[in-house]
């Protein structure tokens, strides 16, 4: 059964499709080229009451204390029978969206549809960072990224092609809070003395107990299962000073996803990163006056809150023959990350050539010195 | 000039004698009472003996109207002051001795070194005895030295003179001179001249018999090369050989100086100079050391003695060394010239001491002691005792001969440039280290002359033990400049100096002069030195072969401007270059891989830690355990270092249990 849990961005002038233009920060009609600010369009949409699950429902959606219990079914249920059915308002087609998708494109008319039930109520993000870069910047960024990559397969520059680029708002949880507790370290004190012809080294071992606390701010943790954690982590940092309140207008023309990572794994990941950082940062202070200080254990209690945010990322593949390499482009900072191939032959030759040159220079210098009598 | 010095020495000795005589006994108006009439410059008289003799002299003067002064002084000291007679009369006059206005009396000098006595009559005293009588007295009196010490001859002189006068002029009413000697053992003198003559004959017979016996014993030693067992003058030898057994049986009471040879006994040439009771040396090392000490003793009359022991028997190390030397029959000449090195291995009292006697005594200044002890210290702290004692012997020899432990005369200062001259006849191979045979020297010299002639450049090889506190380059320069080496106006030449301290490897220094300096680059010097060191240290190469190779490299240098590198050198340098290239290439590839920017999962949150929010509070530190590591690390040694080991304890003048004077120095280790 179709419902009204979707929103389409149509031009108020001609009814054409609107698309968000990152460089200008406006919605642009693909048909009549008229432009409208995201905020203005949202107000107009309210008056028209074009979509269900409006702003009232979005209020109070801030997630505190990781209370995901109410979202469990929606997150994990992939049974097609239970998946919601959306109706394209443009062509009235009945569409089924993946459980984590927040936007879809109508395969019949190309209409961009925002699945409002995935971004409203308790699923409404606390904020988002809009795209600053349009997809046409990707090619030059990737070319720049290639520079200095000496171990790429021969001809990779010329033959490699950038595949389909998808601009997507990816779900992140951004953690604030503090860790505190008692840490234990093992530390040594070493003293040296001399008795007759003997050097005496005395090492005294101690267990150090220290109360440790520290505060973390805006630690992002990738909340989507689909995205590779290493790829997402490498995209950091995102500048949260540019974050905006969530507005569906920014989603126009882009794909969006909602979080589906289980609560436990996300909190563990955030806490793990915080704990490791705190233990390491506290090591120097805790071990003042000791040598060879190393963490031994302890317990740190976390007091943290999280915000649900959408971050702008372009996902694409670089294809070289039959091989495809996943890449990501930070839609806010322009940073490119991806796993480039290392050609073993190129790598070996790279090593051998340099080895040969260096050895040749050294040996030649020796010979020259010898024959010069130096 | 010499006369003036002699006069000054005489005045000095007399002054010393005068000072020794202060505080006299009673006398009448015809006698001066300012000074003692009996004095012993060797310190052999006790106070009681001196007072007894002084009283006897005064009574003699009272009875016979002729003064009597008795002095013990060695002939050597007298000779330094112008002779025995001059000393005797000068001393007599300066002390104001003499009876009446003409200062009549007798000045008697007894020389304990030669066991001889001299009696000089002054003024009218010559009328009391004829020369024959005086000779008779001086013939008999010394015979009492063995039993009564220096007191014996002096007292006997007084008694014999008194008895002769009494037999001639009748017994005088006098207070018995021996009253003051009731507690002293005094010799009984012959009463009449005939008894005296009989006694003199008896003495002569005994001396002849003793000389014959000694000659017989000497023959026996020569034939069998055995050491007499015990008794008489050889008691100390037997004692030395049996000391170890004594230590075993007597423990701490086995004092090596107790009961040994009388310190006044003539030095014994047959005595072993190495007594290694602490067993620091092997038998072979002892033999080598003994040979070296013997060679030094014969060369410069300096008796060097080495003793090691596991205890100093409660004595200070300085006293042990002095006593061991004094009581075991050591020393060259009348002044027992020599030095004794004692290494004490007693737990908590480890150290060494050098005690010097005789002519060596004043030469051993604190500065020289420090230098010599520095070297010895560096060896003994590494437990290289043999090397240390060998080096010590060399140093003592040089101190004695040259006044410096590390001396060659030419080494002491830069050679004056205006006095520099060519000496084409000077040997071009100087083997001070003794590492080359005569034949080798001859062969090397021939090769060197050929090269020198062909390239008009002097070649010199010098071997030495060490550089004696100056840096090796300076050592080489001073040697070259002071020996007239070099060709042409700029004294062109190349000097190869080989240093080889005892027990160490060869250290070669190559220096160039004039045109030789231009030819020898730093690399050429280093390579030539390095290759030659390798050849000299090699067991498979003789010294001649090593130097021949060295000269062939010098020739190659003169022909091509470079010293050939060894195959091993090429191998190592190439291997080194390969390794360096390998490491750098690996680092470059690793860097290139890193630049591929492979995404990595973030493990920490460092950029998100709020600045200043980190807070670490001390709770407690709990002690767990302690472990201690002891690593043996003896002080590094350097034969040319003078200050690394600090300064020695030094005594300018001290004596052990005997009356001999010593200087000495030592250190704990």
């Amino acid at each position: 059964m179709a419902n009204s849990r979707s929103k389409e961005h149509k031009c108020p002038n001609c009814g054409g499709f609107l698309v968000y233009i990152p460089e200008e920060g406006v919605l642009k009609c693909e048909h009549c080229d008229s432009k409208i600010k995201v905020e203005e369009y949202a107000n107009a949409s309210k008056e028209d009451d074009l979509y269900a699950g409006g702003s009232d429902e979005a209020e109070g959606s801030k997630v505190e204390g990781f209370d995901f219990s109410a979202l469990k079914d929606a997150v994990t249920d992939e049974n097609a029978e239970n998946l919601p059915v959306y109706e394209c308002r443009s062509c009235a087609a009945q569409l089924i969206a993946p459980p984590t998708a927040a936007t879809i494109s109508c395969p019949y008319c190309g209409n961009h549809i925002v699945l409002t039930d995935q971004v409203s109520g308790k699923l409404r993000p606390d904020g988002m960072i809009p795209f600053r870069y349009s997809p046409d910047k990707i090619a030059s960024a990737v070319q720049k990224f290639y520079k200095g990559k000496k171990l790429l397969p021969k001809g990779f520059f010329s033959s490699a092609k950038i595949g389909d680029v998808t601009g997507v708002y990816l779900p992140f949880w951004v953690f604030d809070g503090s860790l505190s507790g008692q840490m234990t370290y093992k530390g040594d004190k070493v003293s040296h003395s001399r008795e007759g012809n003997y050097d005496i080294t005395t090492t005294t071992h101690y267990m150090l107990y220290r109360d440790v606390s520290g505060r973390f701010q805006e630690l992002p943790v990738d909340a989507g299962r689909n995205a590779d954690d290493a790829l997402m982590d490498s995209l950091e940092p995102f500048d949260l000073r540019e974050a905006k309140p969530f507005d569906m207008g920014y989603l126009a023309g882009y794909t969006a996803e909602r979080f589906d990572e289980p609560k436990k794994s996300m909190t563990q990941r955030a806490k793990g990163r915080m704990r490791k950082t705190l233990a390491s940062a506290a090591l120097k202070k805790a071990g003042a006056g000791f040598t060879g200080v190393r963490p031994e254990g302890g317990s740190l209690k976390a007091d943290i809150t999280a915000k649900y945010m959408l971050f702008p990322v372009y996902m694409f593949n670089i294809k070289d023959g039959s091989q495809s390499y996943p890449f990501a482009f930070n839609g806010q900072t322009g940073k490119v990350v991806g796993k480039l191939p290392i050609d073993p032959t190129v790598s070996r030759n790279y090593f051998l050539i340099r080895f040969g040159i260096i050895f040749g220079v050294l040996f030649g210098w020796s010979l020259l010195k010898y024959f010069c009598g130096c | 000039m010499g006369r003036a010095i002699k006069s000054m020495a005489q005045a000095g000795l007399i002054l010393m004698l005068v000072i020794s005589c202060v505080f006299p006994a009673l006398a009448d108006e015809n006698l001066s009472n300012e000074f003692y009439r009996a004095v012993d410059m060797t310190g052999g008289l006790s106070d009681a003996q001196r007072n007894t003799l002084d009283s006897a002299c005064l009574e003699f003067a009272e009875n016979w109207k002729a003064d009597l002064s008795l002095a013990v002084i060695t002939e050597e000291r007298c000779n330094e002051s112008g002779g025995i007679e001059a000393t005797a009369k000068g001393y007599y006059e300066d002390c104001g001795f003499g009876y009446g206005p003409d200062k009549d009396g007798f000045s008697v000098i007894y020389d304990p070194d030669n066991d001889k006595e001299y009696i000089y009559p002054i003024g009218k005293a010559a009328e009391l005895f004829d020369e024959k009588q005086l000779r008779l007295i001086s013939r008999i009196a010394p015979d009492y030295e063995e039993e009564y010490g220096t007191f014996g001859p002096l007292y006997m002189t007084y008694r014999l003179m008194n008895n002769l006068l009494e037999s001639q002029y009748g017994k005088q009413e006098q207070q018995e001179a021996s009253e003051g000697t009731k507690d002293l053992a005094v010799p009984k003198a012959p009463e009449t001249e005939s008894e005296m003559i009989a006694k003199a004959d008896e003495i002569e017979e005994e001396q002849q018999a003793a000389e014959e016996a000694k000659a017989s014993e000497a023959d026996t030693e020569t034939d069998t090369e055995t050491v007499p067992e015990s008794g008489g003058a050889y008691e100390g030898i037997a004692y030395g050989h049996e000391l170890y057994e004594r230590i075993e049986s007597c423990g701490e009471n086995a004092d090596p100086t107790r009961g040994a040879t009388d310190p006044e006994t003539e030095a014994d040439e047959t005595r072993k100079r190495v007594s290694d009771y602490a067993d620091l040396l092997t038998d072979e090392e002892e033999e080598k050391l003994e040979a070296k000490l013997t060679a030094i003793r014969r060369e410069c009359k300096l008796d060097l003695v080495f003793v090691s022991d596991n205890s100093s028997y409660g004595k200070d190390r300085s006293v042990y060394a002095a006593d061991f030397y004094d009581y075991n029959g050591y020393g060259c000449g009348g002044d027992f010239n020599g030095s004794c090195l004692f290494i004490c291995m007693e737990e908590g009292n480890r150290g060494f001491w050098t005690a010097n006697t005789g002519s060596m005594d004043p030469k051993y200044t604190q500065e020289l002691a420090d230098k010599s002890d520095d070297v010895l210290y560096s060896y003994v702290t590494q437990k290289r005792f043999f090397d240390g004692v060998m080096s010590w012997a060399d140093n003592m020899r040089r101190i004695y001969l040259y006044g410096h432990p590390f001396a060659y005369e030419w080494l002491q200062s830069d050679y004056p440039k205006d006095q520099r001259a060519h000496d084409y006849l000077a040997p071009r191979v100087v083997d001070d280290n003794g590492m080359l045979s005569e034949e080798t020297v001859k062969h090397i010299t021939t090769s060197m002359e050929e090269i020198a002639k062909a390239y008009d450049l002097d070649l010199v090889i010098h071997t030495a033990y060490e550089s004696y506190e100056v840096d090796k380059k300076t050592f080489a320069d001073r040697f070259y400049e002071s020996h007239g080496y070099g060709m042409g106006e700029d004294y062109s030449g190349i000097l190869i100096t080989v240093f080889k301290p005892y027990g160490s490897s060869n250290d070669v220094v190559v220096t160039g002069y004039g045109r030789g300096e231009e030819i020898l680059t730093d690399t050429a010097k280093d390579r030539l030195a390095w290759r030659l060191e390798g050849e000299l240290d090699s067991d498979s190469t003789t010294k001649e072969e090593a130097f021949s190779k060295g000269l062939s490299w010098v020739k190659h240098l003169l022909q091509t401007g470079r010293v050939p590198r060894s195959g091993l050198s090429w191998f190592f340098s190439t291997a080194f270059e390969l390794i360096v290239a390998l490491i750098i290439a690996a680092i470059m590839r690793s860097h290139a891989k890193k630049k591929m920017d492979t995404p990595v999962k973030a493990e920490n949150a460092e950029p998100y830690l709020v600045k200043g929010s980190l807070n670490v509070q001390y709770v407690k530190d709990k002690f767990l355990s302690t472990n201690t590591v002891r690593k043996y690390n003896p002080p590094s040694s350097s034969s040319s270092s003078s200050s690394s080991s600090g300064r020695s304890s030094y005594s300018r003048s001290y004596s052990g249990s005997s009356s001999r004077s010593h200087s000495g120095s030592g250190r704990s280790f």
Side-chain angles (χ1 to χ4, degrees), chain A residues 126-130 169 242-247 250-251 309-310:
Chain A
D126 295 309
M128 63 189 298
I129 298 174
Y169 283 99
E242 292 182 6
K244 308 270 188 198
F246 176 73
D247 192 311
Y250 293 114
L251 303 185
M309 305 283 287
L310 295 179

Side-chain angles (χ1 to χ4, degrees), chain A residues 290-301:
Chain A
F290 291 85
T291 55
V293 182
R294 55 222 171 263
E296 189 66 14
S299 63
L300 291 172
K301 191 180 171 188

Side-chain angles (χ1 to χ4, degrees), chain A residues 32-192:
Chain A
C32 66
D33 286 343
S34 58
K35 294 176 183 174
I36 182 167
K37 287 184 177 176
V38 175
E39 296 82 7
E40 289 174 6
Y41 182 77
N43 292 335
S45 299
K46 265 184 191 174
E47 288 166 11
D48 293 343
D49 194 21
L50 287 172
Y51 51 87
S55 59
D56 290 343
E57 205 175 332
E59 284 177 11
S61 64
K62 185 173 179 180
V63 180
E64 294 180 0
F66 300 98
D67 182 13
F68 298 98
S69 56
L71 306 171
K72 187 176 176 184
D73 292 340
V75 168
T76 58
D77 191 354
E78 294 180 2
N79 192 329
E81 290 177 7
N82 299 325
L83 289 175
V85 177
Y86 300 92
E87 183 184 272
C88 176
R89 290 202 174 183
S90 181
C91 65
Q94 298 292 305
L95 305 171
I96 294 175
T100 58
T103 62
I104 55 173
S105 290
C106 177
Y108 304 104
C109 64
N111 188 16
H112 299 290
I113 302 165
V114 177
L115 311 178
T116 55
D117 60 334
Q118 299 284 22
V119 290
S120 59
K122 287 191 174 182
L123 294 179
R124 181 183 172 85
D126 295 309
M128 63 189 298
I129 298 174
F131 278 93
R132 268 181 64 193
Y133 288 96
S134 55
D136 54 6
K137 303 288 184 195
I138 291 175
S140 61
V142 167
Q143 284 303 317
K144 205 173 168 185
F145 181 70
Y146 283 160
K147 278 187 181 172
K149 308 286 190 282
K150 308 278 187 190
L151 306 182
L152 286 172
K154 210 173 178 182
F156 187 82
F157 286 108
S158 52
S159 61
K161 303 284 183 220
I162 296 175
D164 292 337
V165 176
T166 307
V168 55
Y169 283 99
L170 289 175
F172 279 77
W173 287 95
V174 178
F175 291 85
D176 288 339
S178 60
L179 260 66
S180 62
Q182 195 171 81
M183 292 289 290
T184 53
Y185 301 86
K186 270 190 177 172
D188 306 327
K189 279 190 174 175
V190 181
S191 63
H192 301 279

